[in-house]
């Protein structure tokens, strides 16, 4: 079973991702901030990470950079998902190591397709 780590500080967004991913038989791990997400990435080595951008303390850009440059986590594809949908945000997210960048609200089929794409 594919394990997806969702890093998002919004309980309502987390619930949406949990429901969407469960419908497609993904195992879901949850982190509510970037620091916790980075630690969980090291501890659990998920197959893919969904990363929010706007979070307190460590934002998604910082957490993505830490994960994609970490010795044990560099192989894990990160998909950034944010309400920030400017081209500069997309470019910056990719520069931090993200494989894909999606705007919220996400389309369920689109999300599942991108998860399979970055893994495969």
């Amino acid at each position: 079973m594919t394990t997806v780590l969702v890093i998002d500080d919004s309980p309502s967004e987390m619930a949406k991702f949990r429901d969407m991913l469960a419908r497609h038989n993904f195992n879901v791990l949850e982190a509510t901030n970037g620091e916790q997400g980075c630690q969980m990435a090291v501890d659990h080595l998920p197959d893919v990470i969904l990363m929010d951008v706007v979070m307190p303390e460590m934002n998604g850009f910082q957490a993505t950079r830490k994960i994609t440059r970490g010795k044990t986590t560099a192989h894990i594809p990160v998909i950034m998902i944010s309400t920030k949908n400017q081209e500069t945000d997309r470019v910056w997210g990719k520069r931090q190591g993200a494989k894909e960048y999606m705007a919220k609200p996400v389309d369920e089929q689109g999300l599942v397709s991108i998860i399979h794409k970055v893994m495969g």
Side-chain angles (χ1 to χ4, degrees), residues 47-68:
D47 298 297
V48 67
I49 296 171
L50 304 184
M51 178 77 72
D52 185 24
V53 172
V54 182
M55 294 184 287
E57 293 148 40
M58 180 187 285
N59 70 38
F61 294 125
Q62 295 165 315
T64 296
R65 187 169 51 243
K66 187 171 181 178
I67 289 166
T68 59

Side-chain angles (χ1 to χ4, degrees), residues 3-100:
T3 298
V4 179
L5 171 58
V6 180
I7 305 172
D8 198 310
D9 62 326
S10 162
S12 60
E13 288 293 324
M14 186 65 80
K16 284 183 208 166
F17 286 123
R18 187 185 314 119
D19 293 346
M20 270 189 233
L21 295 166
R23 276 195 290 275
H24 295 273
N25 298 315
F26 290 111
N27 179 37
V28 180
L29 298 174
E30 302 176 16
T32 56
N33 62 56
E35 196 64 58
Q36 181 188 27
C38 289
Q39 189 58 54
M40 287 184 75
V42 170
D43 293 345
H44 299 279
L45 298 174
D47 298 297
V48 67
I49 296 171
L50 304 184
M51 178 77 72
D52 185 24
V53 172
V54 182
M55 294 184 287
E57 293 148 40
M58 180 187 285
N59 70 38
F61 294 125
Q62 295 165 315
T64 296
R65 187 169 51 243
K66 187 171 181 178
I67 289 166
T68 59
R69 295 183 184 162
K71 280 192 184 101
T72 58
T73 55
H75 67 284
I76 304 168
V78 176
I79 301 168
M80 299 196 88
I81 302 178
S82 180
T83 53
K84 293 169 69 73
N85 195 22
Q86 299 297 315
E87 187 58 29
T88 52
D89 297 314
R90 292 175 176 278
V91 169
W92 189 243
K94 298 267 182 100
R95 280 200 186 145
Q96 305 317 302
K99 297 285 184 233
E100 291 290 339

